[in-house]
Amino acid sequence: MTSNRFALENQKALMAVSLGKKPADLIVANGRILNVYTGELTTGGSICVTDQWIACVTEDVSACRGPDTRIIDAEGMTVIPGLIDGHTHLANYVSSKEFMKQVIPDGTTCLVTETLETAYPAAGTACILDFIESYQNQPVKVFFTVPMMVSPGQHFLKKSDQDLDLLLHRDDVLGLGEVYWQALLLEPDTVLPLISRVLVLGKTVEGHSAGAKNRKLAAYAGAGVSSCHEPIDLTQALERLRMGMYVMAREGGVRKDLTAISTIRNMDVDLRRMILVTDSVTPEFLMEKGYMSHVVQKAIDLGFRPVDAIRMATLNVAEHFGIDHLVGGIAPGRFADLCIVPDIRQITPKWVISSGKVVAGNGQCLAAPRDHVYSEKSLSTVTLNQAFSAADFTIPVNSDAEQVQVRIIDKISPLVTREKTAVLPVIDGLVQMDIENDIIKIAAIDRVDPSNPRFVGLVSGMGLKRGAIASSAPWDTGDIIVIGADEADMALAVNRIGQLQGGTLFTSGGNIVAELPMPIMGLMSDLPVEAIAERMKQVNQAARAAGCVFDDPVLSLVTMTSSAIPYVRICEQGLFNLKNGNIYDHLKEKNP
Amino acid sequence: MTSNRFALENQKALMAVSLGKKPADLIVANGRILNVYTGELTTGGSICVTDQWIACVTEDVSACRGPDTRIIDAEGMTVIPGLIDGHTHLANYVSSKEFMKQVIPDGTTCLVTETLETAYPAAGTACILDFIESYQNQPVKVFFTVPMMVSPGQHFLKKSDQDLDLLLHRDDVLGLGEVYWQALLLEPDTVLPLISRVLVLGKTVEGHSAGAKNRKLAAYAGAGVSSCHEPIDLTQALERLRMGMYVMAREGGVRKDLTAISTIRNMDVDLRRMILVTDSVTPEFLMEKGYMSHVVQKAIDLGFRPVDAIRMATLNVAEHFGIDHLVGGIAPGRFADLCIVPDIRQITPKWVISSGKVVAGNGQCLAAPRDHVYSEKSLSTVTLNQAFSAADFTIPVNSDAEQVQVRIIDKISPLVTREKTAVLPVIDGLVQMDIENDIIKIAAIDRVDPSNPRFVGLVSGMGLKRGAIASSAPWDTGDIIVIGADEADMALAVNRIGQLQGGTLFTSGGNIVAELPMPIMGLMSDLPVEAIAERMKQVNQAARAAGCVFDDPVLSLVTMTSSAIPYVRICEQGLFNLKNGNIYDHLKEKNP
């Protein structure tokens, strides 16, 4: 993507336009221009673009104006650099083409996405590479980070050094994706060499230090992790900045931390290492709020100086990733990524220019995103090898007792869990749910390798009184995850995911009540964003109608596998305790 | 040098100390600590160091204090990061060992040096590598840039791709050394591929854009050059900052630009891309003023906020070169490079800690710099193949005329030259000097390849009435350069340089009046700094006593070859005109 920037013919063409020996392809004239390097808002200059790049910003454009030069008149408007999202997850419900349609008019011209999710659906790097390819040659630039490939309790994520090198040496791969701090502290012998391998290449190591502080945070930062998008308040943000980390204030689909962190604007603190990110958005978010323009606008509305807010989504991000010679500012040699807004305080793009092309005007997408044909491998990632029945979701115990004390995942918030115990009846050697007391079943089934064990456990706090909710896209795993108050509905849900080769759905009374097919790696739909949002709404409504107490039952479901959120999670081997890295089964007495 | 930082055993040891599982080797306690990332001056924290690195900054050191932990009490003092010189030339009179002795107590713990000078004395990279080696495993870290190896008029500087790769892949080589802007614009087909080669490795391209502005500067910056240490005033500094370049404000032996540029502190301009550098110092400067502590103190005295001044010699430099994970701030994982000063406004180090070792206290060097044994090749770089005589410095003309109009280098300042013409008498077919009118001789003799042509030209403005001044260390060339009012003294001077295998000296009346032997690559002496300064003073005094009008006759001599200073220079093929890249000989009528 960026590899041809410094090809001799491009360098010479750029130089010819800078020197006034060749006309520009595009001139953005008459606007105020934000210089993120100095912080100045300048007038009188015009931005001369050739091919994909900025040749110069000059007050005298006569030498740059030829018969074929397109002029964009920015009179009365302000030109800022195209916005950058420094941390997101694009393998998230929406296909590359449909995502592009949404993000282009928003003024976001560069994204750095995790690839973690695409590492699970296939052994090797087939899906990762297909995902990367799906975002190549699109109207907006996308960079990638390599998945850490070490997730506690996940045996199949240790990819080969060859696979890693293949990815790390790509010019569109900027470093190692978010390294969970618990993984680093629990498995230093595995994680540290990975970090070393990335740093010696001059690339970055992205962080995820939710909840870490003091000595543990120092150990984590000291290992070479240079960013964190998990601070949820000023204290956490400041501690990370002081340790030399970049703080990514998150405002997206999963969490909205910007308001809490924004009080940093009142401290006399340098903001050069503050970054704004989404950490992914939902289809609803995309439709209702937009993308980075919304986040930057919110930062301004929260009282950040506009130049600081814009820098947090442009120059600061580019500097963190070492790509500030390519993006993040309006200067010679950079990609011509420009966002023309009414005013520096009003981030509603009138024109968006990406790599020198006018890709959006007045909110309309003017570019045609490429329709990526996903690989056969990416479209067949669910292997079940059996039709599931209710009997597959029983919990047998080797005991004649009529009841047994069991270990339960207790959801104490939409995302956070703790461990609790309960005494449940045993009938015919099988532990029974206690729907009345909100103790129902949860199962993790490996969809990549059906020969792997699977685990049926117990969960409380969801509120579901009937039916089952399931998804092929839980976080940090290649499992299908299903939560249900009825074993037959759980089986139906899993079987349907197998038929669809991926999806998120709700079943009840033997029927598919609502479903979103997700045939792309089991993670993404090929539907338009609007349709995805509508289908998701239907699944969530169905789950809530069946008693689920959370606003977004699907989110509460898919996060049950994430080793990033405290503190008891499920994997196909059992219950994973993030505090100590151990895996437990149901029986309380069995484990310490 | 830095390659073992991320070795597994070092990473684990660092983590153990951060976590409080292993005592620190060194604790800097009770001081105020400058956090360059946030700009805060904090109290109550202690810096815990293990081996070469900072493990953590913590308020509770109990877990870090062991029986063998050394405590430095910084009560009442302020700890700032060790200072960094982002642009210097260390192959400059002083050997590595003697330079170290001076720089260690100064609080400068990291330097980025050009290697340009060492590229000339030998074909291939033998001297470059020996020079690099001379600064390895020293008490203070030195990084390097690869010489551009393209100097107009210098045929032997085009080194092979293999040589370049050998250098560029070293972890102590940070990028390409200063690229003269004229060279880039005159020879894009040669220079641009070199820039591309460096940028795709993720390394930086250093600039030298003296006098460039507007479109030419844009063409230069757009090619990927990301710094310039040549601005001499606010206007030049601002123009470069606005183009996204790092501006290196220079305060050293050759030029002192900081005062002029310092008015930028009154602009509402972001200073993150401002850097302080020396661009090399003279032995006198080192003895009288020190090194970066002097430059930072001067910036503070000129009115920069102390935190900004210090950042310009720490974090900003590290960020520019992409080594901020290693140096430039007091944070976990960074090298323990610390400077303990009385106050943030008073940069007179009481203690200096470099890579975790206490290397200086109260101005005294406590570390033993390594005595590098330079290679045989480095110690035999002057090959003359003949004894020179006065006849070798004549200027014959193919004319029977009694006088001839000739082209002369006119020194209009100690450094800057222009072209002028004069009519000189011809006797026996030889052009005669006109000492009364200050037209004397200058010669360039290739000391690497005696089969190359040599050139004898004419110079005015020096003021020399007798004798000759010569050096084996002129800038940007492997030539010996000699200026004289007497051909026999010129011959004596060159022959003496051959005997010494390098030196700078003044001859008069058939005698060596003053000399500094420089046997290391013909560039450096093995004497202590004090002796070098004394010898240099003697040479300069002798030249001034013989009429030279400049304060520093040696500097005026050695810069006569530099294609970095406008605008007529000498090389072994003739007079080099920087405006058009052409080489001329004496005869005015011969060339356009």
Side-chain angles (χ1 to χ4, degrees):
Chain A
M1 175 183 55
T2 58
S3 57
N4 73 338
R5 162 64 187 86
F6 295 101
L8 183 58
E9 67 273 20
N10 290 331
Q11 285 275 66
K12 289 175 81 167
L14 196 52
M15 192 179 280
V17 177
S18 299
L19 292 171
K21 293 176 179 171
K22 191 185 154 203
D25 295 324
L26 174 72
I27 295 176
V28 178
N30 305 323
R32 287 177 300 272
I33 299 172
L34 177 64
N35 189 307
V36 288
Y37 307 104
T38 61
E40 297 166 302
L41 198 59
T42 64
T43 53
S46 293
I47 303 162
C48 301
V49 175
T50 179
D51 197 350
Q52 302 177 63
W53 306 288
I54 297 168
C56 56
V57 180
T58 178
E59 298 197 355
D60 175 13
V61 295
S62 53
C64 286
R65 183 175 285 173
D68 300 322
T69 303
R70 176 171 180 185
I71 311 287
I72 297 276
D73 187 351
E75 174 79 42
M77 294 187 274
T78 298
V79 191
I80 65 173
L83 305 176
I84 307 174
D85 185 358
H87 185 85
T88 188
H89 297 256
L90 293 186
N92 184 42
Y93 293 112
V94 186
S95 66
S96 59
K97 180 182 178 183
E98 298 299 327
F99 179 75
M100 277 291 147
K101 287 186 191 167
Q102 301 295 318
V103 85
I104 289 169
D106 175 77
T108 305
T109 55
C110 180
L111 302 98
V112 184
T113 182
E114 295 281 318
T115 58
L116 180 66
E117 297 76 11
T118 66
Y120 297 98
T125 52
C127 287
I128 302 175
L129 290 170
D130 194 30
F131 172 68
I132 290 177
E133 207 180 297
S134 78
Y135 278 105
Q136 286 182 319
N137 301 316
Q138 294 286 15
V140 154
K141 277 175 287 300
V142 180
F143 290 96
F144 305 88
T145 53
V146 173
M148 183 175 69
M149 302 182 178
V150 180
S151 184
Q154 302 295 331
H155 54 89
F156 53 86
L157 278 186
K158 288 168 183 153
K159 302 241 190 292
S160 70
D161 285 354
Q162 288 86 335
D163 279 354
L164 269 176
D165 279 345
L166 178 76
L167 292 167
L168 282 172
H169 283 87
R170 296 178 61 101
D171 74 337
D172 53 5
V173 169
L174 301 182
L176 187 63
E178 48 187 302
V179 175
Y180 295 163
W181 71 279
Q182 299 95 335
L184 174 60
L185 295 191
L186 289 171
E187 299 188 31
D189 288 311
T190 307
V191 180
L192 289 172
L194 200 53
I195 289 177
S196 170
R197 180 186 287 267
V198 173
L199 292 179
V200 298
L201 288 174
K203 304 205 170 192
T204 62
V205 176
E206 299 302 288
H208 179 119
S209 56
K213 59 184 179 177
N214 299 339
R215 292 184 168 283
K216 285 179 180 170
L217 186 62
Y220 182 71
V225 182
S226 57
S227 76
C228 180
H229 57 277
E230 294 291 334
I232 58 170
D233 58 30
L234 177 64
T235 304
Q236 292 187 356
L238 273 176
E239 186 174 12
R240 282 157 182 76
L241 287 179
R242 286 172 182 151
M243 290 195 191
M245 300 179 90
Y246 280 82
V247 165
M248 296 171 159
R250 172 170 49 183
E251 186 74 13
V254 177
R255 279 194 62 95
K256 293 172 184 62
D257 302 317
L258 183 54
T259 303
I261 294 176
S262 71
T263 51
I264 199 168
R265 72 188 183 281
N266 302 323
M267 314 281 294
D268 185 20
V269 159
D270 196 297
L271 298 179
R272 74 169 88 177
R273 294 195 169 216
M274 285 295 301
I275 287 175
L276 301 173
V277 301
T278 65
D279 196 18
S280 85
V281 296
T282 58
E284 290 83 353
F285 191 106
L286 262 182
M287 286 168 52
E288 289 166 17
K289 300 180 173 172
Y291 202 72
M292 288 303 294
S293 70
H294 163 77
V295 183
V296 175
Q297 184 67 59
K298 181 157 182 177
I300 293 169
D301 295 344
L302 284 166
F304 281 101
R305 291 195 315 151
V307 59
D308 287 330
I310 294 165
R311 273 202 280 232
M312 290 193 285
T314 57
L315 180 61
N316 298 5
V317 199
E319 287 185 345
H320 166 55
F321 286 106
I323 52 172
D324 55 298
H325 59 309
L326 297 173
V327 295
I330 300 173
R334 273 66 170 179
F335 278 88
D337 295 344
L338 307 170
C339 202
I340 304 178
V341 294
D343 182 82
I344 197 177
R345 306 189 155 273
Q346 195 182 341
I347 312 301
T348 43
K350 295 297 165 194
W351 295 97
V352 179
I353 295 163
S354 177
S355 295
K357 304 291 173 293
V358 181
V359 294
N362 285 312
Q364 297 303 305
C365 183
L366 303 174
R370 190 174 61 79
D371 194 4
H372 179 69
V373 179
Y374 289 91
S375 71
E376 271 304 306
K377 178 75 236 168
S378 296
L379 297 174
S380 55
T381 63
V382 181
T383 308
L384 297 180
N385 277 9
Q386 71 169 100
F388 283 83
S389 68
D392 292 308
F393 297 91
T394 56
I395 304 175
V397 282
N398 286 327
S399 161
D400 296 332
E402 291 187 355
Q403 56 183 36
V404 65
Q405 192 183 39
V406 290
R407 185 177 278 113
I408 290 172
I409 303 179
D410 184 26
K411 284 189 87 75
I412 57 172
S413 85
L415 301 184
V416 176
T417 64
R418 65 180 176 193
E419 185 182 303
K420 97 174 180 188
T421 56
V423 174
L424 290 182
V426 178
I427 300 176
D428 295 338
L430 303 175
V431 179
Q432 303 297 303
M433 292 191 265
D434 183 354
I435 295 175
E436 199 170 317
N437 287 307
D438 193 22
I439 299 175
I440 57 175
K441 284 188 175 169
I442 179 168
I445 297 162
D446 193 323
R447 70 171 160 109
V448 180
D449 182 355
S451 70
N452 272 331
R454 55 178 185 263
F455 181 74
V456 182
L458 295 153
V459 62
S460 67
M462 281 291 283
L464 213 59
K465 298 298 177 198
R466 58 182 169 78
I469 185 168
S471 178
S472 58
W475 292 14
D476 302 357
T477 178
D479 291 349
I480 292 169
I481 188 94
V482 55
I483 292 178
D486 182 292
E487 288 90 349
D489 284 329
M490 292 173 81
L492 173 63
V494 173
N495 289 333
R496 179 63 179 162
I497 285 175
Q499 279 177 345
L500 295 170
Q501 281 299 306
T504 296
L505 47 83
F506 187 79
T507 55
S508 183
N511 297 312
I512 315 287
V513 179
E515 73 178 12
L516 170 68
M518 298 161 77
I520 305 168
M521 303 179 201
L523 303 172
M524 292 167 274
S525 163
D526 48 10
L527 296 173
V529 169
E530 296 79 359
I532 297 172
E534 178 57 29
R535 298 276 191 129
M536 288 286 290
K537 206 165 97 181
Q538 290 167 4
V539 174
N540 276 327
Q541 279 175 343
R544 285 198 303 269
C548 184
V549 296
F550 298 124
D551 277 350
D552 188 341
V554 171
L555 183 65
S556 295
L557 172 78
V558 295
T559 50
M560 291 298 290
T561 46
S562 173
S563 55
I565 304 173
Y567 74 93
V568 183
R569 301 284 130 182
I570 188 170
C571 64
E572 69 273 20
Q573 293 122 311
L575 303 179
F576 186 78
N577 186 313
L578 284 165
K579 285 192 178 172
N580 56 21
N582 291 339
I583 293 174
Y584 299 97
D585 81 0
H586 316 87
L587 296 183
K588 184 64 186 170
E589 62 268 31
K590 257 196 186 169
N591 305 107
Chain B
M1 174 185 55
T2 57
S3 57
N4 74 337
R5 162 64 187 87
F6 295 100
L8 183 57
E9 66 275 20
N10 291 331
Q11 285 276 68
K12 288 175 80 168
L14 197 52
M15 191 178 281
V17 177
S18 299
L19 292 171
K21 294 178 178 170
K22 195 186 153 202
D25 296 324
L26 175 72
I27 295 176
V28 179
N30 304 324
R32 287 178 299 272
I33 300 172
L34 177 64
N35 189 307
V36 289
Y37 308 104
T38 61
E40 297 166 301
L41 198 58
T42 64
T43 55
S46 292
I47 303 162
C48 300
V49 175
T50 180
D51 196 351
Q52 303 179 61
W53 306 289
I54 297 168
C56 56
V57 181
T58 178
E59 296 196 358
D60 175 14
V61 296
S62 52
C64 286
R65 184 175 285 170
D68 300 323
T69 303
R70 177 170 180 186
I71 312 285
I72 297 276
D73 187 353
E75 175 76 43
M77 293 188 274
T78 298
V79 191
I80 66 174
L83 304 176
I84 308 175
D85 185 359
H87 185 86
T88 189
H89 297 255
L90 294 186
N92 184 43
Y93 293 112
V94 187
S95 68
S96 58
K97 181 184 178 181
E98 297 298 328
F99 179 76
M100 279 289 146
K101 287 185 190 166
Q102 301 295 318
V103 85
I104 288 169
D106 174 77
T108 305
T109 54
C110 180
L111 302 98
V112 184
T113 182
E114 294 282 319
T115 58
L116 180 66
E117 298 76 11
T118 66
Y120 299 98
T125 52
C127 287
I128 303 176
L129 290 170
D130 194 30
F131 172 67
I132 290 177
E133 208 180 297
S134 77
Y135 278 106
Q136 286 181 319
N137 302 316
Q138 294 285 15
V140 153
K141 277 175 287 300
V142 180
F143 290 96
F144 306 88
T145 53
V146 172
M148 183 175 69
M149 303 183 177
V150 180
S151 184
Q154 301 295 333
H155 54 88
F156 53 88
L157 278 184
K158 289 171 182 152
K159 301 242 190 294
S160 69
D161 286 352
Q162 287 86 336
D163 278 354
L164 268 175
D165 279 344
L166 178 76
L167 292 166
L168 281 173
H169 283 87
R170 295 178 61 100
D171 75 337
D172 53 4
V173 169
L174 301 182
L176 187 64
E178 49 185 302
V179 174
Y180 295 164
W181 72 278
Q182 299 94 337
L184 174 60
L185 295 190
L186 290 170
E187 299 187 32
D189 288 310
T190 307
V191 180
L192 289 172
L194 200 53
I195 289 178
S196 170
R197 180 186 288 268
V198 174
L199 292 179
V200 297
L201 288 174
K203 305 206 170 193
T204 61
V205 176
E206 297 302 287
H208 179 120
S209 57
K213 59 183 179 179
N214 299 339
R215 290 185 169 284
K216 284 179 180 170
L217 187 62
Y220 183 72
V225 182
S226 58
S227 77
C228 180
H229 58 276
E230 295 290 334
I232 58 171
D233 59 29
L234 177 65
T235 304
Q236 292 187 356
L238 273 177
E239 187 175 11
R240 282 156 182 77
L241 288 180
R242 287 172 181 150
M243 289 194 192
M245 300 179 91
Y246 280 82
V247 164
M248 296 171 159
R250 171 170 50 184
E251 187 74 11
V254 177
R255 280 193 61 96
K256 293 170 184 62
D257 302 318
L258 183 54
T259 303
I261 294 175
S262 70
T263 51
I264 199 167
R265 72 189 182 281
N266 302 323
M267 314 279 296
D268 183 20
V269 159
D270 196 296
L271 299 177
R272 75 168 89 178
R273 295 196 169 215
M274 285 295 300
I275 287 174
L276 301 173
V277 301
T278 65
D279 197 17
S280 85
V281 296
T282 58
E284 292 83 351
F285 190 107
L286 261 181
M287 286 167 51
E288 289 168 16
K289 300 180 174 173
Y291 202 72
M292 287 304 294
S293 69
H294 162 77
V295 183
V296 175
Q297 184 68 59
K298 181 158 182 176
I300 293 170
D301 295 344
L302 284 166
F304 281 101
R305 291 195 315 152
V307 59
D308 287 331
I310 293 164
R311 273 203 279 232
M312 290 194 285
T314 56
L315 180 62
N316 298 6
V317 199
E319 287 186 342
H320 167 55
F321 286 106
I323 53 173
D324 54 299
H325 59 308
L326 297 173
V327 296
I330 300 172
R334 272 67 170 180
F335 278 87
D337 295 345
L338 306 170
C339 202
I340 304 177
V341 295
D343 181 83
I344 197 176
R345 307 189 154 273
Q346 195 182 343
I347 312 301
T348 44
K350 295 298 164 196
W351 295 98
V352 180
I353 294 162
S354 177
S355 296
K357 305 290 171 295
V358 181
V359 294
N362 286 313
Q364 298 302 307
C365 184
L366 303 175
R370 190 175 60 79
D371 195 5
H372 178 69
V373 179
Y374 290 92
S375 70
E376 271 303 306
K377 179 76 234 169
S378 296
L379 298 173
S380 56
T381 62
V382 181
T383 307
L384 298 179
N385 277 10
Q386 71 169 96
F388 283 83
S389 69
D392 293 308
F393 296 91
T394 56
I395 303 174
V397 282
N398 286 327
S399 161
D400 296 334
E402 291 186 354
Q403 57 182 36
V404 66
Q405 190 184 41
V406 290
R407 184 177 280 113
I408 290 171
I409 303 178
D410 184 25
K411 284 190 86 74
I412 57 171
S413 85
L415 301 184
V416 176
T417 64
R418 63 181 176 191
E419 184 182 302
K420 95 173 181 188
T421 56
V423 174
L424 290 183
V426 177
I427 300 175
D428 297 335
L430 302 175
V431 179
Q432 303 297 304
M433 290 191 267
D434 183 354
I435 295 174
E436 198 169 316
N437 287 307
D438 193 21
I439 299 175
I440 59 175
K441 283 187 173 168
I442 179 168
I445 296 162
D446 193 323
R447 69 172 162 108
V448 180
D449 182 356
S451 71
N452 272 333
R454 55 178 184 263
F455 181 75
V456 183
L458 295 152
V459 63
S460 67
M462 280 291 283
L464 212 60
K465 300 297 178 197
R466 56 181 172 80
I469 184 168
S471 178
S472 58
W475 293 12
D476 303 357
T477 178
D479 291 348
I480 292 168
I481 187 94
V482 54
I483 292 177
D486 182 289
E487 289 88 350
D489 285 329
M490 292 173 82
L492 174 62
V494 172
N495 290 333
R496 179 64 178 160
I497 285 174
Q499 280 177 344
L500 295 170
Q501 281 300 304
T504 297
L505 46 82
F506 187 78
T507 56
S508 183
N511 296 312
I512 315 288
V513 179
E515 72 178 15
L516 169 68
M518 298 161 77
I520 304 168
M521 304 179 201
L523 303 171
M524 292 168 275
S525 164
D526 48 11
L527 296 172
V529 169
E530 297 79 0
I532 297 172
E534 178 57 29
R535 300 278 191 128
M536 287 286 291
K537 204 165 98 179
Q538 290 167 4
V539 174
N540 276 327
Q541 277 174 345
R544 286 197 303 269
C548 183
V549 297
F550 297 126
D551 278 350
D552 188 340
V554 172
L555 183 64
S556 296
L557 172 78
V558 295
T559 50
M560 291 297 289
T561 46
S562 173
S563 54
I565 305 173
Y567 74 90
V568 184
R569 301 284 129 183
I570 187 171
C571 64
E572 70 271 21
Q573 294 124 311
L575 303 180
F576 185 78
N577 186 313
L578 284 166
K579 285 193 176 170
N580 57 22
N582 291 339
I583 294 173
Y584 300 98
D585 83 358
H586 316 89
L587 297 181
K588 184 65 185 171
E589 62 268 29
K590 258 198 183 167
N591 305 106

